[in-house]
Amino acid sequence: DTTGQLDIDSVIAKGDIAKYKVIILADIPSLSEYAVQELEKYLEKGGAIFIAPGKNAESTDFAKFAKILPGEIGEIVETGNNYVSPVITAEDGIGLFSFAKSGAPISLNEIKIRKYYKLIPGKSAKVRAKFADSPCIISANNGKGTSLLSSFPFDSSWSNLPFSADFFASDS
């Protein structure tokens, strides 16, 4: 496709997505009903989905895939020159931030967020990372699986995360 966007429907139709431990939906413009149904099945069977909406995400489509989200996606918050940084805790329970072993909250001060979506956690959602006044990453169990929702994409126009050492994880 000439837009540079991945057609998630064709990816799902090509094979068994169950072979993937995690599916990352980074700045996906929209999801079809077919894709949502297949992702729901994937979660029911124990898969994990990490969703990071961004500039291409259509806010009118968020309701279409609410079944796989751990909460609601609200309006965009622009921080201007007052960048915000996420704070995480070691009690995240799923190893999302396995480097946080001390049990104390850890501020990722190197990560500067310029804008983000306001997240409204669902009833069963857990806040995995937060800003001073709102959630940054939330998660919820969905069947045997887990869905995670980030308030910002992995895009340099929203944050400096792609240029940060915290963007890369290591098992060593």
Side-chain angles (χ1 to χ4, degrees):
D1 145 349
T2 58
T3 65
Q5 293 295 317
L6 183 65
D7 178 6
I8 193 74
D9 288 342
S10 64
V11 171
I12 290 172
K14 284 181 184 177
D16 182 16
I17 60 174
K19 65 184 175 185
Y20 300 106
K21 290 182 181 181
V22 178
I23 295 175
I24 299 173
L25 300 175
D27 199 12
I28 298 293
S30 179
L31 288 174
S32 70
E33 211 39 58
Y34 167 75
V36 171
Q37 289 171 356
E38 292 301 308
L39 291 169
E40 283 181 74
K41 291 177 193 173
Y42 169 78
L43 285 169
E44 285 292 324
K45 294 177 183 175
I49 297 176
F50 191 97
I51 303 153
K55 65 181 179 185
N56 293 312
E58 308 225 1
S59 60
T60 56
D61 282 350
F62 293 152
K64 280 173 50 177
F65 55 101
K67 293 178 183 176
I68 64 170
L69 294 175
E72 294 179 39
I73 302 171
E75 73 277 355
I76 293 176
V77 176
E78 303 227 14
T79 65
N81 292 329
N82 300 316
Y83 301 120
V84 294
S85 296
V87 175
I88 60 168
T89 65
E91 302 87 42
D92 75 67
I94 55 175
L96 178 62
F97 302 107
S98 59
F99 56 86
K101 304 238 188 257
S102 68
I106 295 175
S107 177
L108 300 176
N109 290 322
E110 306 90 48
I111 299 174
K112 306 295 184 198
I113 311 296
R114 292 178 191 86
K115 58 184 173 179
Y116 60 92
Y117 283 100
K118 187 112 175 142
L119 300 182
I120 301 106
K123 292 178 186 172
S124 63
K126 295 181 182 177
V127 175
R128 303 298 182 177
K130 62 182 180 174
F131 301 123
D133 63 346
S134 67
C136 175
I137 298 175
I138 59 177
S139 73
N141 293 335
N142 199 322
K144 294 180 182 175
T146 302
S147 60
L148 295 111
L149 177 61
S150 173
S151 61
F152 64 97
F154 313 131
D155 180 322
S156 62
S157 68
W158 289 58
S159 75
N160 69 345
L161 179 63
F163 308 111
S164 167
D166 294 315
F167 188 64
F168 301 96
S170 172
D171 288 340
S172 55

PDB file of all heavy atoms in Angstrom, residues 99-137:
ATOM      1  N   PHE A  99      12.845  -4.269  34.775  1.00  0.00           N
ATOM      2  CA  PHE A  99      14.025  -3.642  35.356  1.00  0.00           C
ATOM      3  C   PHE A  99      13.694  -2.927  36.659  1.00  0.00           C
ATOM      4  O   PHE A  99      14.574  -2.531  37.394  1.00  0.00           O
ATOM      5  CB  PHE A  99      14.669  -2.664  34.366  1.00  0.00           C
ATOM      6  CG  PHE A  99      13.731  -1.604  33.864  1.00  0.00           C
ATOM      7  CD1 PHE A  99      13.545  -0.436  34.577  1.00  0.00           C
ATOM      8  CD2 PHE A  99      13.036  -1.789  32.688  1.00  0.00           C
ATOM      9  CE1 PHE A  99      12.665   0.532  34.110  1.00  0.00           C
ATOM     10  CE2 PHE A  99      12.169  -0.818  32.220  1.00  0.00           C
ATOM     11  CZ  PHE A  99      11.992   0.348  32.931  1.00  0.00           C
ATOM     12  N   ALA A 100      12.413  -2.787  36.988  1.00  0.00           N
ATOM     13  CA  ALA A 100      11.997  -2.123  38.220  1.00  0.00           C
ATOM     14  C   ALA A 100      11.879  -3.174  39.320  1.00  0.00           C
ATOM     15  O   ALA A 100      10.812  -3.634  39.636  1.00  0.00           O
ATOM     16  CB  ALA A 100      10.673  -1.408  38.006  1.00  0.00           C
ATOM     17  N   LYS A 101      12.991  -3.551  39.888  1.00  0.00           N
ATOM     18  CA  LYS A 101      13.009  -4.657  40.838  1.00  0.00           C
ATOM     19  C   LYS A 101      12.921  -4.201  42.302  1.00  0.00           C
ATOM     20  O   LYS A 101      12.635  -4.980  43.169  1.00  0.00           O
ATOM     21  CB  LYS A 101      14.279  -5.477  40.647  1.00  0.00           C
ATOM     22  CG  LYS A 101      14.443  -5.984  39.229  1.00  0.00           C
ATOM     23  CD  LYS A 101      14.541  -7.462  39.211  1.00  0.00           C
ATOM     24  CE  LYS A 101      14.905  -7.942  37.847  1.00  0.00           C
ATOM     25  NZ  LYS A 101      13.845  -8.485  37.081  1.00  0.00           N
ATOM     26  N   SER A 102      13.165  -2.944  42.581  1.00  0.00           N
ATOM     27  CA  SER A 102      13.282  -2.487  43.955  1.00  0.00           C
ATOM     28  C   SER A 102      11.947  -2.394  44.683  1.00  0.00           C
ATOM     29  O   SER A 102      11.926  -2.387  45.900  1.00  0.00           O
ATOM     30  CB  SER A 102      13.954  -1.116  43.993  1.00  0.00           C
ATOM     31  OG  SER A 102      13.095  -0.148  43.430  1.00  0.00           O
ATOM     32  N   GLY A 103      10.848  -2.298  43.976  1.00  0.00           N
ATOM     33  CA  GLY A 103       9.548  -2.123  44.619  1.00  0.00           C
ATOM     34  C   GLY A 103       9.176  -0.661  44.769  1.00  0.00           C
ATOM     35  O   GLY A 103       8.037  -0.338  45.056  1.00  0.00           O
ATOM     36  N   ALA A 104      10.142   0.231  44.576  1.00  0.00           N
ATOM     37  CA  ALA A 104       9.869   1.659  44.684  1.00  0.00           C
ATOM     38  C   ALA A 104       9.480   2.203  43.300  1.00  0.00           C
ATOM     39  O   ALA A 104       9.926   1.678  42.286  1.00  0.00           O
ATOM     40  CB  ALA A 104      11.110   2.383  45.188  1.00  0.00           C
ATOM     41  N   PRO A 105       8.654   3.236  43.269  1.00  0.00           N
ATOM     42  CA  PRO A 105       8.330   3.833  41.971  1.00  0.00           C
ATOM     43  C   PRO A 105       9.591   4.322  41.271  1.00  0.00           C
ATOM     44  O   PRO A 105      10.526   4.791  41.913  1.00  0.00           O
ATOM     45  CB  PRO A 105       7.432   5.017  42.332  1.00  0.00           C
ATOM     46  CG  PRO A 105       6.892   4.688  43.680  1.00  0.00           C
ATOM     47  CD  PRO A 105       7.973   3.886  44.363  1.00  0.00           C
ATOM     48  N   ILE A 106       9.616   4.201  39.968  1.00  0.00           N
ATOM     49  CA  ILE A 106      10.767   4.634  39.185  1.00  0.00           C
ATOM     50  C   ILE A 106      10.279   5.666  38.178  1.00  0.00           C
ATOM     51  O   ILE A 106       9.336   5.422  37.430  1.00  0.00           O
ATOM     52  CB  ILE A 106      11.403   3.443  38.440  1.00  0.00           C
ATOM     53  CG1 ILE A 106      11.979   2.462  39.452  1.00  0.00           C
ATOM     54  CG2 ILE A 106      12.475   3.920  37.467  1.00  0.00           C
ATOM     55  CD1 ILE A 106      12.523   1.198  38.819  1.00  0.00           C
ATOM     56  N   SER A 107      10.923   6.825  38.172  1.00  0.00           N
ATOM     57  CA  SER A 107      10.592   7.853  37.201  1.00  0.00           C
ATOM     58  C   SER A 107      11.513   7.703  36.004  1.00  0.00           C
ATOM     59  O   SER A 107      12.717   7.553  36.155  1.00  0.00           O
ATOM     60  CB  SER A 107      10.775   9.235  37.819  1.00  0.00           C
ATOM     61  OG  SER A 107      10.523  10.226  36.845  1.00  0.00           O
ATOM     62  N   LEU A 108      10.937   7.691  34.841  1.00  0.00           N
ATOM     63  CA  LEU A 108      11.726   7.614  33.618  1.00  0.00           C
ATOM     64  C   LEU A 108      11.940   9.042  33.120  1.00  0.00           C
ATOM     65  O   LEU A 108      11.371   9.480  32.131  1.00  0.00           O
ATOM     66  CB  LEU A 108      11.003   6.759  32.578  1.00  0.00           C
ATOM     67  CG  LEU A 108      10.737   5.318  33.016  1.00  0.00           C
ATOM     68  CD1 LEU A 108       9.932   4.581  31.966  1.00  0.00           C
ATOM     69  CD2 LEU A 108      12.040   4.585  33.286  1.00  0.00           C
ATOM     70  N   ASN A 109      12.776   9.781  33.861  1.00  0.00           N
ATOM     71  CA  ASN A 109      12.968  11.201  33.604  1.00  0.00           C
ATOM     72  C   ASN A 109      13.523  11.507  32.227  1.00  0.00           C
ATOM     73  O   ASN A 109      13.342  12.601  31.716  1.00  0.00           O
ATOM     74  CB  ASN A 109      13.882  11.818  34.660  1.00  0.00           C
ATOM     75  CG  ASN A 109      13.215  11.894  36.007  1.00  0.00           C
ATOM     76  OD1 ASN A 109      12.031  12.165  36.092  1.00  0.00           O
ATOM     77  ND2 ASN A 109      13.972  11.642  37.054  1.00  0.00           N
ATOM     78  N   GLU A 110      14.233  10.541  31.626  1.00  0.00           N
ATOM     79  CA  GLU A 110      14.801  10.799  30.302  1.00  0.00           C
ATOM     80  C   GLU A 110      13.707  10.857  29.246  1.00  0.00           C
ATOM     81  O   GLU A 110      13.910  11.405  28.176  1.00  0.00           O
ATOM     82  CB  GLU A 110      15.808   9.721  29.895  1.00  0.00           C
ATOM     83  CG  GLU A 110      16.928   9.475  30.880  1.00  0.00           C
ATOM     84  CD  GLU A 110      16.546   8.396  31.891  1.00  0.00           C
ATOM     85  OE1 GLU A 110      16.048   7.332  31.500  1.00  0.00           O
ATOM     86  OE2 GLU A 110      16.744   8.654  33.082  1.00  0.00           O
ATOM     87  N   ILE A 111      12.572  10.231  29.511  1.00  0.00           N
ATOM     88  CA  ILE A 111      11.484  10.219  28.538  1.00  0.00           C
ATOM     89  C   ILE A 111      10.645  11.483  28.741  1.00  0.00           C
ATOM     90  O   ILE A 111      10.084  11.702  29.803  1.00  0.00           O
ATOM     91  CB  ILE A 111      10.616   8.958  28.676  1.00  0.00           C
ATOM     92  CG1 ILE A 111      11.465   7.717  28.436  1.00  0.00           C
ATOM     93  CG2 ILE A 111       9.445   9.013  27.695  1.00  0.00           C
ATOM     94  CD1 ILE A 111      10.749   6.422  28.674  1.00  0.00           C
ATOM     95  N   LYS A 112      10.598  12.293  27.713  1.00  0.00           N
ATOM     96  CA  LYS A 112       9.850  13.553  27.756  1.00  0.00           C
ATOM     97  C   LYS A 112       8.673  13.457  26.799  1.00  0.00           C
ATOM     98  O   LYS A 112       8.845  13.305  25.599  1.00  0.00           O
ATOM     99  CB  LYS A 112      10.742  14.732  27.353  1.00  0.00           C
ATOM    100  CG  LYS A 112      12.035  14.847  28.144  1.00  0.00           C
ATOM    101  CD  LYS A 112      11.776  15.149  29.590  1.00  0.00           C
ATOM    102  CE  LYS A 112      13.094  15.349  30.328  1.00  0.00           C
ATOM    103  NZ  LYS A 112      12.954  15.222  31.756  1.00  0.00           N
ATOM    104  N   ILE A 113       7.478  13.530  27.353  1.00  0.00           N
ATOM    105  CA  ILE A 113       6.257  13.399  26.571  1.00  0.00           C
ATOM    106  C   ILE A 113       5.735  14.797  26.233  1.00  0.00           C
ATOM    107  O   ILE A 113       5.512  15.612  27.129  1.00  0.00           O
ATOM    108  CB  ILE A 113       5.168  12.619  27.352  1.00  0.00           C
ATOM    109  CG1 ILE A 113       5.728  11.321  27.949  1.00  0.00           C
ATOM    110  CG2 ILE A 113       3.947  12.384  26.477  1.00  0.00           C
ATOM    111  CD1 ILE A 113       6.200  10.303  26.972  1.00  0.00           C
ATOM    112  N   ARG A 114       5.529  15.059  24.946  1.00  0.00           N
ATOM    113  CA  ARG A 114       5.030  16.354  24.485  1.00  0.00           C
ATOM    114  C   ARG A 114       3.504  16.390  24.431  1.00  0.00           C
ATOM    115  O   ARG A 114       2.891  17.421  24.662  1.00  0.00           O
ATOM    116  CB  ARG A 114       5.575  16.652  23.089  1.00  0.00           C
ATOM    117  CG  ARG A 114       7.045  16.892  23.036  1.00  0.00           C
ATOM    118  CD  ARG A 114       7.497  17.140  21.594  1.00  0.00           C
ATOM    119  NE  ARG A 114       8.930  17.112  21.510  1.00  0.00           N
ATOM    120  CZ  ARG A 114       9.660  16.014  21.352  1.00  0.00           C
ATOM    121  NH1 ARG A 114       9.084  14.843  21.245  1.00  0.00           N
ATOM    122  NH2 ARG A 114      10.976  16.066  21.310  1.00  0.00           N
ATOM    123  N   LYS A 115       2.915  15.240  24.056  1.00  0.00           N
ATOM    124  CA  LYS A 115       1.460  15.145  24.025  1.00  0.00           C
ATOM    125  C   LYS A 115       1.069  13.687  24.202  1.00  0.00           C
ATOM    126  O   LYS A 115       1.850  12.782  23.916  1.00  0.00           O
ATOM    127  CB  LYS A 115       0.859  15.740  22.753  1.00  0.00           C
ATOM    128  CG  LYS A 115       1.329  15.138  21.460  1.00  0.00           C
ATOM    129  CD  LYS A 115       0.720  15.898  20.289  1.00  0.00           C
ATOM    130  CE  LYS A 115       1.297  15.451  18.980  1.00  0.00           C
ATOM    131  NZ  LYS A 115       0.708  16.149  17.847  1.00  0.00           N
ATOM    132  N   TYR A 116      -0.143  13.491  24.699  1.00  0.00           N
ATOM    133  CA  TYR A 116      -0.614  12.140  24.978  1.00  0.00           C
ATOM    134  C   TYR A 116      -2.135  12.132  25.011  1.00  0.00           C
ATOM    135  O   TYR A 116      -2.770  13.170  25.123  1.00  0.00           O
ATOM    136  CB  TYR A 116      -0.047  11.629  26.307  1.00  0.00           C
ATOM    137  CG  TYR A 116      -0.420  12.452  27.518  1.00  0.00           C
ATOM    138  CD1 TYR A 116      -1.546  12.136  28.280  1.00  0.00           C
ATOM    139  CD2 TYR A 116       0.354  13.541  27.910  1.00  0.00           C
ATOM    140  CE1 TYR A 116      -1.890  12.897  29.391  1.00  0.00           C
ATOM    141  CE2 TYR A 116       0.018  14.301  29.019  1.00  0.00           C
ATOM    142  CZ  TYR A 116      -1.104  13.977  29.752  1.00  0.00           C
ATOM    143  OH  TYR A 116      -1.451  14.719  30.849  1.00  0.00           O
ATOM    144  N   TYR A 117      -2.682  10.933  24.874  1.00  0.00           N
ATOM    145  CA  TYR A 117      -4.122  10.764  25.035  1.00  0.00           C
ATOM    146  C   TYR A 117      -4.441  10.604  26.518  1.00  0.00           C
ATOM    147  O   TYR A 117      -3.736   9.896  27.235  1.00  0.00           O
ATOM    148  CB  TYR A 117      -4.622   9.509  24.309  1.00  0.00           C
ATOM    149  CG  TYR A 117      -4.741   9.655  22.817  1.00  0.00           C
ATOM    150  CD1 TYR A 117      -3.762   9.158  21.974  1.00  0.00           C
ATOM    151  CD2 TYR A 117      -5.848  10.276  22.249  1.00  0.00           C
ATOM    152  CE1 TYR A 117      -3.875   9.283  20.596  1.00  0.00           C
ATOM    153  CE2 TYR A 117      -5.970  10.402  20.877  1.00  0.00           C
ATOM    154  CZ  TYR A 117      -4.976   9.903  20.056  1.00  0.00           C
ATOM    155  OH  TYR A 117      -5.088  10.036  18.701  1.00  0.00           O
ATOM    156  N   LYS A 118      -5.482  11.234  26.961  1.00  0.00           N
ATOM    157  CA  LYS A 118      -5.977  11.020  28.329  1.00  0.00           C
ATOM    158  C   LYS A 118      -6.615   9.629  28.350  1.00  0.00           C
ATOM    159  O   LYS A 118      -7.432   9.308  27.496  1.00  0.00           O
ATOM    160  CB  LYS A 118      -7.017  12.084  28.666  1.00  0.00           C
ATOM    161  CG  LYS A 118      -7.461  12.065  30.077  1.00  0.00           C
ATOM    162  CD  LYS A 118      -6.977  13.300  30.763  1.00  0.00           C
ATOM    163  CE  LYS A 118      -7.521  13.335  32.158  1.00  0.00           C
ATOM    164  NZ  LYS A 118      -6.553  13.853  33.077  1.00  0.00           N
ATOM    165  N   LEU A 119      -6.206   8.783  29.280  1.00  0.00           N
ATOM    166  CA  LEU A 119      -6.749   7.430  29.405  1.00  0.00           C
ATOM    167  C   LEU A 119      -7.711   7.363  30.578  1.00  0.00           C
ATOM    168  O   LEU A 119      -7.439   7.919  31.642  1.00  0.00           O
ATOM    169  CB  LEU A 119      -5.634   6.406  29.611  1.00  0.00           C
ATOM    170  CG  LEU A 119      -4.584   6.285  28.517  1.00  0.00           C
ATOM    171  CD1 LEU A 119      -3.581   5.184  28.862  1.00  0.00           C
ATOM    172  CD2 LEU A 119      -5.221   6.023  27.164  1.00  0.00           C
ATOM    173  N   ILE A 120      -8.814   6.671  30.375  1.00  0.00           N
ATOM    174  CA  ILE A 120      -9.795   6.447  31.433  1.00  0.00           C
ATOM    175  C   ILE A 120      -9.846   4.937  31.671  1.00  0.00           C
ATOM    176  O   ILE A 120     -10.410   4.196  30.859  1.00  0.00           O
ATOM    177  CB  ILE A 120     -11.188   6.991  31.051  1.00  0.00           C
ATOM    178  CG1 ILE A 120     -11.108   8.500  30.753  1.00  0.00           C
ATOM    179  CG2 ILE A 120     -12.203   6.736  32.159  1.00  0.00           C
ATOM    180  CD1 ILE A 120     -11.190   8.837  29.312  1.00  0.00           C
ATOM    181  N   PRO A 121      -9.203   4.448  32.744  1.00  0.00           N
ATOM    182  CA  PRO A 121      -9.165   3.004  32.984  1.00  0.00           C
ATOM    183  C   PRO A 121     -10.554   2.404  33.152  1.00  0.00           C
ATOM    184  O   PRO A 121     -11.434   3.016  33.748  1.00  0.00           O
ATOM    185  CB  PRO A 121      -8.370   2.871  34.284  1.00  0.00           C
ATOM    186  CG  PRO A 121      -7.610   4.152  34.415  1.00  0.00           C
ATOM    187  CD  PRO A 121      -8.479   5.200  33.765  1.00  0.00           C
ATOM    188  N   GLY A 122     -10.737   1.196  32.600  1.00  0.00           N
ATOM    189  CA  GLY A 122     -11.972   0.455  32.791  1.00  0.00           C
ATOM    190  C   GLY A 122     -12.039  -0.089  34.216  1.00  0.00           C
ATOM    191  O   GLY A 122     -11.078   0.021  34.990  1.00  0.00           O
ATOM    192  N   LYS A 123     -13.156  -0.706  34.568  1.00  0.00           N
ATOM    193  CA  LYS A 123     -13.372  -1.207  35.936  1.00  0.00           C
ATOM    194  C   LYS A 123     -12.298  -2.187  36.384  1.00  0.00           C
ATOM    195  O   LYS A 123     -11.879  -2.166  37.532  1.00  0.00           O
ATOM    196  CB  LYS A 123     -14.747  -1.868  36.045  1.00  0.00           C
ATOM    197  CG  LYS A 123     -15.889  -0.902  35.929  1.00  0.00           C
ATOM    198  CD  LYS A 123     -17.213  -1.620  35.997  1.00  0.00           C
ATOM    199  CE  LYS A 123     -18.357  -0.658  35.722  1.00  0.00           C
ATOM    200  NZ  LYS A 123     -19.631  -1.339  35.592  1.00  0.00           N
ATOM    201  N   SER A 124     -11.858  -3.058  35.498  1.00  0.00           N
ATOM    202  CA  SER A 124     -10.873  -4.067  35.892  1.00  0.00           C
ATOM    203  C   SER A 124      -9.440  -3.706  35.482  1.00  0.00           C
ATOM    204  O   SER A 124      -8.531  -4.504  35.658  1.00  0.00           O
ATOM    205  CB  SER A 124     -11.249  -5.424  35.279  1.00  0.00           C
ATOM    206  OG  SER A 124     -11.209  -5.343  33.863  1.00  0.00           O
ATOM    207  N   ALA A 125      -9.247  -2.504  34.974  1.00  0.00           N
ATOM    208  CA  ALA A 125      -7.917  -2.098  34.503  1.00  0.00           C
ATOM    209  C   ALA A 125      -6.987  -1.761  35.655  1.00  0.00           C
ATOM    210  O   ALA A 125      -7.420  -1.336  36.730  1.00  0.00           O
ATOM    211  CB  ALA A 125      -8.036  -0.898  33.576  1.00  0.00           C
ATOM    212  N   LYS A 126      -5.716  -1.969  35.403  1.00  0.00           N
ATOM    213  CA  LYS A 126      -4.666  -1.592  36.350  1.00  0.00           C
ATOM    214  C   LYS A 126      -3.783  -0.543  35.691  1.00  0.00           C
ATOM    215  O   LYS A 126      -3.485  -0.630  34.507  1.00  0.00           O
ATOM    216  CB  LYS A 126      -3.823  -2.798  36.727  1.00  0.00           C
ATOM    217  CG  LYS A 126      -4.595  -3.845  37.492  1.00  0.00           C
ATOM    218  CD  LYS A 126      -3.710  -4.997  37.866  1.00  0.00           C
ATOM    219  CE  LYS A 126      -4.535  -6.049  38.601  1.00  0.00           C
ATOM    220  NZ  LYS A 126      -3.731  -7.222  38.936  1.00  0.00           N
ATOM    221  N   VAL A 127      -3.369   0.440  36.479  1.00  0.00           N
ATOM    222  CA  VAL A 127      -2.453   1.467  35.984  1.00  0.00           C
ATOM    223  C   VAL A 127      -1.039   0.925  36.142  1.00  0.00           C
ATOM    224  O   VAL A 127      -0.610   0.603  37.248  1.00  0.00           O
ATOM    225  CB  VAL A 127      -2.636   2.797  36.757  1.00  0.00           C
ATOM    226  CG1 VAL A 127      -1.602   3.818  36.311  1.00  0.00           C
ATOM    227  CG2 VAL A 127      -4.046   3.326  36.568  1.00  0.00           C
ATOM    228  N   ARG A 128      -0.335   0.783  35.030  1.00  0.00           N
ATOM    229  CA  ARG A 128       1.022   0.228  35.031  1.00  0.00           C
ATOM    230  C   ARG A 128       2.091   1.302  35.045  1.00  0.00           C
ATOM    231  O   ARG A 128       3.193   1.084  35.520  1.00  0.00           O
ATOM    232  CB  ARG A 128       1.224  -0.660  33.801  1.00  0.00           C
ATOM    233  CG  ARG A 128       0.226  -1.789  33.693  1.00  0.00           C
ATOM    234  CD  ARG A 128       0.338  -2.706  34.865  1.00  0.00           C
ATOM    235  NE  ARG A 128      -0.597  -3.823  34.728  1.00  0.00           N
ATOM    236  CZ  ARG A 128      -0.668  -4.811  35.579  1.00  0.00           C
ATOM    237  NH1 ARG A 128       0.101  -4.831  36.624  1.00  0.00           N
ATOM    238  NH2 ARG A 128      -1.530  -5.777  35.395  1.00  0.00           N
ATOM    239  N   ALA A 129       1.766   2.460  34.501  1.00  0.00           N
ATOM    240  CA  ALA A 129       2.654   3.627  34.524  1.00  0.00           C
ATOM    241  C   ALA A 129       1.745   4.841  34.524  1.00  0.00           C
ATOM    242  O   ALA A 129       0.615   4.786  34.031  1.00  0.00           O
ATOM    243  CB  ALA A 129       3.580   3.628  33.310  1.00  0.00           C
ATOM    244  N   LYS A 130       2.231   5.923  35.107  1.00  0.00           N
ATOM    245  CA  LYS A 130       1.377   7.102  35.200  1.00  0.00           C
ATOM    246  C   LYS A 130       2.200   8.373  35.075  1.00  0.00           C
ATOM    247  O   LYS A 130       3.415   8.374  35.238  1.00  0.00           O
ATOM    248  CB  LYS A 130       0.613   7.113  36.515  1.00  0.00           C
ATOM    249  CG  LYS A 130       1.511   7.184  37.743  1.00  0.00           C
ATOM    250  CD  LYS A 130       0.707   7.132  39.018  1.00  0.00           C
ATOM    251  CE  LYS A 130       1.648   7.206  40.211  1.00  0.00           C
ATOM    252  NZ  LYS A 130       0.935   7.302  41.460  1.00  0.00           N
ATOM    253  N   PHE A 131       1.490   9.445  34.756  1.00  0.00           N
ATOM    254  CA  PHE A 131       2.034  10.783  34.855  1.00  0.00           C
ATOM    255  C   PHE A 131       1.588  11.285  36.222  1.00  0.00           C
ATOM    256  O   PHE A 131       0.886  10.579  36.949  1.00  0.00           O
ATOM    257  CB  PHE A 131       1.491  11.682  33.749  1.00  0.00           C
ATOM    258  CG  PHE A 131       1.785  11.176  32.355  1.00  0.00           C
ATOM    259  CD1 PHE A 131       0.762  10.939  31.467  1.00  0.00           C
ATOM    260  CD2 PHE A 131       3.086  10.941  31.942  1.00  0.00           C
ATOM    261  CE1 PHE A 131       1.025  10.480  30.177  1.00  0.00           C
ATOM    262  CE2 PHE A 131       3.363  10.481  30.664  1.00  0.00           C
ATOM    263  CZ  PHE A 131       2.330  10.253  29.787  1.00  0.00           C
ATOM    264  N   ALA A 132       1.944  12.471  36.596  1.00  0.00           N
ATOM    265  CA  ALA A 132       1.555  12.995  37.906  1.00  0.00           C
ATOM    266  C   ALA A 132       0.046  12.989  38.092  1.00  0.00           C
ATOM    267  O   ALA A 132      -0.459  12.696  39.173  1.00  0.00           O
ATOM    268  CB  ALA A 132       2.104  14.398  38.097  1.00  0.00           C
ATOM    269  N   ASP A 133      -0.703  13.300  37.022  1.00  0.00           N
ATOM    270  CA  ASP A 133      -2.143  13.468  37.178  1.00  0.00           C
ATOM    271  C   ASP A 133      -3.008  12.498  36.389  1.00  0.00           C
ATOM    272  O   ASP A 133      -4.228  12.587  36.434  1.00  0.00           O
ATOM    273  CB  ASP A 133      -2.538  14.897  36.810  1.00  0.00           C
ATOM    274  CG  ASP A 133      -2.256  15.216  35.343  1.00  0.00           C
ATOM    275  OD1 ASP A 133      -1.532  14.442  34.688  1.00  0.00           O
ATOM    276  OD2 ASP A 133      -2.768  16.235  34.858  1.00  0.00           O
ATOM    277  N   SER A 134      -2.404  11.564  35.638  1.00  0.00           N
ATOM    278  CA  SER A 134      -3.230  10.644  34.855  1.00  0.00           C
ATOM    279  C   SER A 134      -2.446   9.405  34.443  1.00  0.00           C
ATOM    280  O   SER A 134      -1.213   9.415  34.435  1.00  0.00           O
ATOM    281  CB  SER A 134      -3.796  11.356  33.616  1.00  0.00           C
ATOM    282  OG  SER A 134      -2.759  11.683  32.724  1.00  0.00           O
ATOM    283  N   PRO A 135      -3.156   8.328  34.098  1.00  0.00           N
ATOM    284  CA  PRO A 135      -2.481   7.097  33.678  1.00  0.00           C
ATOM    285  C   PRO A 135      -1.709   7.285  32.376  1.00  0.00           C
ATOM    286  O   PRO A 135      -2.120   8.024  31.491  1.00  0.00           O
ATOM    287  CB  PRO A 135      -3.634   6.118  33.459  1.00  0.00           C
ATOM    288  CG  PRO A 135      -4.789   6.671  34.210  1.00  0.00           C
ATOM    289  CD  PRO A 135      -4.606   8.162  34.164  1.00  0.00           C
ATOM    290  N   CYS A 136      -0.594   6.594  32.285  1.00  0.00           N
ATOM    291  CA  CYS A 136       0.240   6.598  31.082  1.00  0.00           C
ATOM    292  C   CYS A 136       0.090   5.273  30.332  1.00  0.00           C
ATOM    293  O   CYS A 136      -0.021   5.251  29.119  1.00  0.00           O
ATOM    294  CB  CYS A 136       1.692   6.825  31.494  1.00  0.00           C
ATOM    295  SG  CYS A 136       2.858   6.710  30.154  1.00  0.00           S
ATOM    296  N   ILE A 137       0.097   4.164  31.070  1.00  0.00           N
ATOM    297  CA  ILE A 137      -0.128   2.828  30.503  1.00  0.00           C
ATOM    298  C   ILE A 137      -1.080   2.093  31.432  1.00  0.00           C
ATOM    299  O   ILE A 137      -0.871   2.058  32.641  1.00  0.00           O
ATOM    300  CB  ILE A 137       1.175   2.033  30.350  1.00  0.00           C
ATOM    301  CG1 ILE A 137       2.134   2.730  29.379  1.00  0.00           C
ATOM    302  CG2 ILE A 137       0.888   0.600  29.866  1.00  0.00           C
ATOM    303  CD1 ILE A 137       3.499   2.075  29.268  1.00  0.00           C
TER     304      ILE A 137
END
